[in-house]
Amino acid sequence: MSDALRFPPTDLDMSKPTIARAYDALLGGKDNFAPDRELAAAVEELNPGMTDLAIENRGFLSRGVQYVANELGIDQFLDLGSGLPTVENTHQVAQRNSPGNRVVYVDIDPMVLAHARALMVENETTTVITADLRDVEKVLGDPGTRRLLTTEQPVCLMLVSLLHCIPDEDDPFDLVRSYLEPFPSGSALVYSHLCADDVEHGRLFTERVHASGAPWGRVRDPRECAAAVADLELVSPSVDGAEPARLVDCDTWRKPGTDPVDIPGEDKRIWEHAGVAVKP
């Protein structure tokens, strides 16, 4: 049996949780271990609704990819921190109407690589690479990336529920600029970030994740989250395009029958601040 199909991978540390596997646990997946489930249960206890939030974020990803592929006509996607395959993955949405659309998945968790290669089945238009996304040159220079993506045409950068995993000292928002810099005008960013306007609650949530031993950054406030789209042109969050362009709660971004909500009420103390933006 090849390493790509061995479960769990031989280099997998099952003693500590990872964000990808804890997220899988929140979504009810089976590709996680006890420490991952413990972390998922802990954040759900601290902030009830995290399971719903994970599902809402997947819905946003699907609508965001549909918009970029169908409305902007972009046919190549770089999905950073893609996590374990679940329903409505980027390649499934992007290739639904255009099978030739190309997708590169990047994640540092070796289980993501093993599972994705076994179940998603790499083909001429989709690949998965294992890399630390903070190493921009390595990601963009990987043979898989170079085979599928070209900077001669617009690229969609996927940063969905990712930058809160990166600590301040690694300058997560500078990473956005570094990835977009070689991409041409018309490239897009699909983006969401765990957000709280209650500073203390956000701090407690951050401390709980850090206490688990999982590598992580922190929950940030709406102003901080907006740094990712600086110098980009945001897309209106309403289905009809009439609402002013801005970041909103992911569950309300271009969702039919739902008005965009900037900051949810007290019953939702942490949300994913989300939107789609285009490089001018």
Side-chain angles (χ1 to χ4, degrees):
M1 181 182 293
S2 72
D3 287 342
L5 299 182
R6 185 179 291 118
F7 291 94
T10 54
D11 56 348
L12 187 66
D13 181 358
M14 295 179 285
S15 66
K16 294 181 181 179
T18 70
I19 299 304
R21 299 197 305 264
Y23 191 75
D24 178 72
L26 283 171
L27 289 169
K30 298 179 180 179
D31 300 297
N32 51 76
F33 305 107
D36 309 304
R37 293 189 289 274
E38 290 168 5
L39 175 56
V43 295
E44 177 67 30
E45 180 181 12
L46 178 63
N47 188 82
M50 289 304 297
T51 299
D52 292 337
L53 181 54
I55 295 171
E56 292 169 0
N57 197 51
R58 295 305 298 185
F60 162 72
L61 181 149
S62 180
R63 296 192 302 276
V65 172
Q66 286 180 33
Y67 178 86
V68 169
N70 299 338
E71 302 299 325
L72 301 183
I74 294 177
D75 61 4
Q76 45 183 355
F77 298 77
L78 179 60
D79 191 340
L80 300 179
S82 52
L84 287 156
T86 178
V87 296
E88 290 292 272
N89 299 289
T90 297
H91 75 287
Q92 293 169 317
V93 180
Q95 296 170 0
R96 182 168 294 136
N97 296 323
S98 301
N101 285 354
R102 305 179 302 284
V103 179
V104 175
Y105 290 106
V106 183
D107 205 287
I108 197 171
D109 189 330
M111 190 165 179
V112 171
L113 177 67
H115 193 88
R117 283 183 171 170
L119 297 185
M120 288 163 44
V121 184
E122 288 190 287
N123 53 48
E124 293 183 355
T125 56
T126 306
T127 193
V128 187
I129 64 176
T130 298
D132 186 333
L133 59 90
R134 293 170 295 186
D135 191 341
V136 179
E137 290 187 7
K138 181 177 180 180
V139 171
L140 295 182
D142 187 273
T145 306
R146 295 170 64 88
R147 176 174 69 86
L148 289 180
L149 305 185
T150 173
T151 56
E152 298 298 314
Q153 299 293 331
V155 178
C156 178
L157 178 65
M158 305 286 296
L159 293 174
V160 177
S161 201
L162 173 71
L163 292 188
H164 50 250
C165 299
I166 302 176
D168 292 338
E169 53 265 31
D170 289 329
D171 201 346
F173 301 111
D174 187 60
L175 280 174
V176 182
R177 292 183 284 275
S178 296
Y179 274 104
L180 288 175
E181 193 277 329
F183 297 164
S185 174
S187 293
L189 171 67
V190 176
Y191 168 69
S192 67
H193 190 302
L194 277 181
C195 186
D197 59 352
D198 181 335
V199 175
E200 179 62 15
H201 189 64
R203 184 186 65 78
L204 291 173
F205 188 97
T206 294
E207 288 181 351
R208 183 61 190 85
V209 179
H210 284 163
S212 74
W216 211 57
R218 66 182 177 91
V219 175
R220 296 183 173 94
D221 65 36
R223 178 188 58 80
E224 292 173 311
C225 293
V229 296
D231 302 321
L232 301 178
E233 297 176 354
L234 277 164
V235 170
S236 169
S238 60
V239 175
D240 61 6
E243 287 272 354
R246 63 193 190 278
L247 298 176
V248 297
D249 175 5
C250 73
D251 194 40
T252 69
W253 190 88
R254 290 197 171 237
K255 185 176 181 179
T258 302
D259 293 330
V261 174
D262 298 42
I263 299 178
E266 293 183 0
D267 59 332
K268 195 173 189 178
R269 302 171 71 185
I270 290 179
W271 69 97
E272 292 267 9
H273 217 41
V276 171
V278 179
K279 181 177 179 179

